Amino acid sequence: MRKLWIALTFLTRIPLPQPTNVTSEEFTLSQHYYPLVGLIVGGVLWASLTLLLPFYPPLITAALVLILELILTGGIHLDGFMDSMDGLLSARPPERMLEIMKDSHVGAFGALGAIAYLLLKFTLLVELCSLGSASALFLVLFMPIIARWIFLIGVYFFPYAREKGLGKGFHESSRNTKWVFFGQGLLLLLLTYYFLHWSGIAGFVLATLGILFFTCKVSRLLGGLTGDLYGASIELSELFFLLGAFPFIT
């Protein structure tokens, strides 16, 4: 339970007391609980949709759920996405891109990227709310779970771009636990098919391939990944999952 507690306080802003004396080993092993953190976030979002839809139209419900997700995560993944867009879209040399991404200030590319991302995600949520079927709402439950597994592709299989940083130790100490990653992926794939059938499989495949392409391209450009890019991968995974699943939802 302590490792789940560490994972929850790291990936969310759920008001829990901060664990003390966390070792590097505990922090690394807590990543095995990231999909479970996604289940908690997804469960809150799914329950909110179920409760709100009888009283509010899809536009308002989708807006409230999107805001709720930002509150639950504290926007930390979106912050990483914005920092990543500032660097990647700057058309500067790789070294300068990394410097821009490290800057805590949000630039024009980060702001525009966030607007485009949130607009598309909001639109997808509105359409899912409009469908109102159990399968459509289950997509919102599975979206955070799968995203918090898929982003670990970058942690396990791609180098870290900086000499220092939280993500570097996270990456290097994760090499011996790949079997857990593959086992969780197989379990998630089976559960996704059981609850969502082919729409879930389509979302799972598009999200996986999309993050593989993103991480490959960025790692080749920058010589590795960073913590900001891990956050961007979570956000993109959620979007790719919804985009892949939506055409097949019943």
mmCIF file of all heavy atoms in Angstrom, residues 39-58:
data_model
loop_
_atom_site.group_PDB
_atom_site.id
_atom_site.type_symbol
_atom_site.label_atom_id
_atom_site.label_comp_id
_atom_site.label_asym_id
_atom_site.label_seq_id
_atom_site.Cartn_x
_atom_site.Cartn_y
_atom_site.Cartn_z
ATOM 1 N N LEU A 39 -6.792 3.942 -12.650
ATOM 2 C CA LEU A 39 -8.115 3.393 -12.341
ATOM 3 C C LEU A 39 -8.851 4.285 -11.349
ATOM 4 O O LEU A 39 -10.062 4.509 -11.486
ATOM 5 C CB LEU A 39 -7.960 1.979 -11.778
ATOM 6 C CG LEU A 39 -9.249 1.307 -11.270
ATOM 7 C CD1 LEU A 39 -10.262 1.159 -12.385
ATOM 8 C CD2 LEU A 39 -8.922 -0.055 -10.644
ATOM 9 N N ILE A 40 -8.149 4.802 -10.368
ATOM 10 C CA ILE A 40 -8.765 5.688 -9.380
ATOM 11 C C ILE A 40 -9.240 6.980 -10.047
ATOM 12 O O ILE A 40 -10.376 7.429 -9.842
ATOM 13 C CB ILE A 40 -7.787 5.974 -8.233
ATOM 14 C CG1 ILE A 40 -7.516 4.694 -7.443
ATOM 15 C CG2 ILE A 40 -8.324 7.077 -7.311
ATOM 16 C CD1 ILE A 40 -6.378 4.806 -6.448
ATOM 17 N N VAL A 41 -8.364 7.569 -10.869
ATOM 18 C CA VAL A 41 -8.745 8.794 -11.592
ATOM 19 C C VAL A 41 -9.907 8.504 -12.532
ATOM 20 O O VAL A 41 -10.902 9.240 -12.570
ATOM 21 C CB VAL A 41 -7.542 9.353 -12.375
ATOM 22 C CG1 VAL A 41 -7.978 10.514 -13.274
ATOM 23 C CG2 VAL A 41 -6.443 9.800 -11.422
ATOM 24 N N GLY A 42 -9.798 7.417 -13.307
ATOM 25 C CA GLY A 42 -10.860 7.064 -14.243
ATOM 26 C C GLY A 42 -12.166 6.745 -13.535
ATOM 27 O O GLY A 42 -13.247 7.086 -14.045
ATOM 28 N N GLY A 43 -12.082 6.102 -12.369
ATOM 29 C CA GLY A 43 -13.297 5.800 -11.627
ATOM 30 C C GLY A 43 -14.028 7.055 -11.178
ATOM 31 O O GLY A 43 -15.262 7.126 -11.249
ATOM 32 N N VAL A 44 -13.271 8.050 -10.750
ATOM 33 C CA VAL A 44 -13.885 9.324 -10.347
ATOM 34 C C VAL A 44 -14.528 10.005 -11.553
ATOM 35 O O VAL A 44 -15.655 10.528 -11.464
ATOM 36 C CB VAL A 44 -12.832 10.250 -9.699
ATOM 37 C CG1 VAL A 44 -13.426 11.635 -9.442
ATOM 38 C CG2 VAL A 44 -12.314 9.649 -8.396
ATOM 39 N N LEU A 45 -13.842 9.992 -12.696
ATOM 40 C CA LEU A 45 -14.393 10.622 -13.895
ATOM 41 C C LEU A 45 -15.645 9.896 -14.376
ATOM 42 O O LEU A 45 -16.650 10.530 -14.743
ATOM 43 C CB LEU A 45 -13.341 10.634 -15.009
ATOM 44 C CG LEU A 45 -12.052 11.412 -14.731
ATOM 45 C CD1 LEU A 45 -11.126 11.353 -15.941
ATOM 46 C CD2 LEU A 45 -12.350 12.862 -14.366
ATOM 47 N N TRP A 46 -15.580 8.561 -14.376
ATOM 48 C CA TRP A 46 -16.736 7.766 -14.812
ATOM 49 C C TRP A 46 -17.938 7.995 -13.888
ATOM 50 O O TRP A 46 -19.069 8.169 -14.350
ATOM 51 C CB TRP A 46 -16.349 6.292 -14.840
ATOM 52 C CG TRP A 46 -17.488 5.383 -15.159
ATOM 53 C CD1 TRP A 46 -18.010 5.093 -16.396
ATOM 54 C CD2 TRP A 46 -18.279 4.644 -14.209
ATOM 55 N NE1 TRP A 46 -19.058 4.211 -16.280
ATOM 56 C CE2 TRP A 46 -19.250 3.927 -14.949
ATOM 57 C CE3 TRP A 46 -18.240 4.518 -12.819
ATOM 58 C CZ2 TRP A 46 -20.179 3.089 -14.327
ATOM 59 C CZ3 TRP A 46 -19.167 3.694 -12.203
ATOM 60 C CH2 TRP A 46 -20.117 2.984 -12.956
ATOM 61 N N ALA A 47 -17.695 7.979 -12.585
ATOM 62 C CA ALA A 47 -18.782 8.208 -11.633
ATOM 63 C C ALA A 47 -19.374 9.610 -11.809
ATOM 64 O O ALA A 47 -20.601 9.791 -11.726
ATOM 65 C CB ALA A 47 -18.269 8.028 -10.205
ATOM 66 N N SER A 48 -18.523 10.573 -12.089
ATOM 67 C CA SER A 48 -19.002 11.950 -12.288
ATOM 68 C C SER A 48 -19.879 12.040 -13.523
ATOM 69 O O SER A 48 -20.940 12.690 -13.501
ATOM 70 C CB SER A 48 -17.814 12.898 -12.413
ATOM 71 O OG SER A 48 -17.032 12.867 -11.246
ATOM 72 N N LEU A 49 -19.451 11.396 -14.610
ATOM 73 C CA LEU A 49 -20.276 11.375 -15.822
ATOM 74 C C LEU A 49 -21.640 10.755 -15.543
ATOM 75 O O LEU A 49 -22.680 11.279 -15.956
ATOM 76 C CB LEU A 49 -19.576 10.575 -16.921
ATOM 77 C CG LEU A 49 -18.507 11.264 -17.755
ATOM 78 C CD1 LEU A 49 -17.902 10.276 -18.740
ATOM 79 C CD2 LEU A 49 -19.095 12.450 -18.511
ATOM 80 N N THR A 50 -21.632 9.626 -14.852
ATOM 81 C CA THR A 50 -22.873 8.916 -14.564
ATOM 82 C C THR A 50 -23.824 9.764 -13.720
ATOM 83 O O THR A 50 -25.040 9.749 -13.936
ATOM 84 C CB THR A 50 -22.562 7.593 -13.841
ATOM 85 O OG1 THR A 50 -21.644 6.822 -14.637
ATOM 86 C CG2 THR A 50 -23.821 6.776 -13.625
ATOM 87 N N LEU A 51 -23.264 10.510 -12.770
ATOM 88 C CA LEU A 51 -24.094 11.325 -11.896
ATOM 89 C C LEU A 51 -24.572 12.614 -12.562
ATOM 90 O O LEU A 51 -25.687 13.079 -12.295
ATOM 91 C CB LEU A 51 -23.314 11.667 -10.622
ATOM 92 C CG LEU A 51 -23.024 10.492 -9.674
ATOM 93 C CD1 LEU A 51 -22.075 10.937 -8.567
ATOM 94 C CD2 LEU A 51 -24.313 9.944 -9.080
ATOM 95 N N LEU A 52 -23.727 13.193 -13.416
ATOM 96 C CA LEU A 52 -24.049 14.498 -13.991
ATOM 97 C C LEU A 52 -24.972 14.433 -15.202
ATOM 98 O O LEU A 52 -25.792 15.340 -15.417
ATOM 99 C CB LEU A 52 -22.750 15.212 -14.384
ATOM 100 C CG LEU A 52 -21.854 15.689 -13.230
ATOM 101 C CD1 LEU A 52 -20.511 16.168 -13.765
ATOM 102 C CD2 LEU A 52 -22.538 16.799 -12.451
ATOM 103 N N LEU A 53 -24.841 13.378 -16.003
ATOM 104 C CA LEU A 53 -25.581 13.325 -17.275
ATOM 105 C C LEU A 53 -27.105 13.420 -17.115
ATOM 106 O O LEU A 53 -27.765 14.026 -17.971
ATOM 107 C CB LEU A 53 -25.215 12.070 -18.047
ATOM 108 C CG LEU A 53 -24.024 12.207 -19.006
ATOM 109 C CD1 LEU A 53 -23.698 10.871 -19.652
ATOM 110 C CD2 LEU A 53 -24.302 13.257 -20.073
ATOM 111 N N PRO A 54 -27.705 12.849 -16.066
ATOM 112 C CA PRO A 54 -29.162 13.001 -15.935
ATOM 113 C C PRO A 54 -29.608 14.439 -15.664
ATOM 114 O O PRO A 54 -30.789 14.761 -15.846
ATOM 115 C CB PRO A 54 -29.500 12.091 -14.740
ATOM 116 C CG PRO A 54 -28.386 11.114 -14.657
ATOM 117 C CD PRO A 54 -27.175 11.889 -15.083
ATOM 118 N N PHE A 55 -28.689 15.296 -15.241
ATOM 119 C CA PHE A 55 -29.068 16.653 -14.839
ATOM 120 C C PHE A 55 -28.542 17.748 -15.763
ATOM 121 O O PHE A 55 -29.087 18.853 -15.772
ATOM 122 C CB PHE A 55 -28.566 16.927 -13.414
ATOM 123 C CG PHE A 55 -29.090 15.959 -12.396
ATOM 124 C CD1 PHE A 55 -28.290 14.918 -11.943
ATOM 125 C CD2 PHE A 55 -30.383 16.065 -11.915
ATOM 126 C CE1 PHE A 55 -28.772 14.015 -11.012
ATOM 127 C CE2 PHE A 55 -30.876 15.169 -10.976
ATOM 128 C CZ PHE A 55 -30.072 14.130 -10.531
ATOM 129 N N TYR A 56 -27.481 17.460 -16.505
ATOM 130 C CA TYR A 56 -26.856 18.489 -17.342
ATOM 131 C C TYR A 56 -26.700 17.987 -18.775
ATOM 132 O O TYR A 56 -26.517 16.786 -19.000
ATOM 133 C CB TYR A 56 -25.476 18.865 -16.790
ATOM 134 C CG TYR A 56 -25.519 19.543 -15.448
ATOM 135 C CD1 TYR A 56 -25.264 18.810 -14.290
ATOM 136 C CD2 TYR A 56 -25.812 20.896 -15.334
ATOM 137 C CE1 TYR A 56 -25.303 19.416 -13.041
ATOM 138 C CE2 TYR A 56 -25.855 21.507 -14.090
ATOM 139 C CZ TYR A 56 -25.592 20.767 -12.957
ATOM 140 O OH TYR A 56 -25.639 21.373 -11.732
ATOM 141 N N PRO A 57 -26.739 18.899 -19.739
ATOM 142 C CA PRO A 57 -26.526 18.501 -21.136
ATOM 143 C C PRO A 57 -25.066 18.092 -21.366
ATOM 144 O O PRO A 57 -24.179 18.398 -20.548
ATOM 145 C CB PRO A 57 -26.884 19.764 -21.921
ATOM 146 C CG PRO A 57 -26.696 20.881 -20.962
ATOM 147 C CD PRO A 57 -27.042 20.329 -19.610
ATOM 148 N N PRO A 58 -24.782 17.393 -22.485
ATOM 149 C CA PRO A 58 -23.426 16.896 -22.752
ATOM 150 C C PRO A 58 -22.340 17.958 -22.721
ATOM 151 O O PRO A 58 -21.240 17.700 -22.233
ATOM 152 C CB PRO A 58 -23.560 16.268 -24.148
ATOM 153 C CG PRO A 58 -24.979 15.833 -24.225
ATOM 154 C CD PRO A 58 -25.750 16.881 -23.486
#
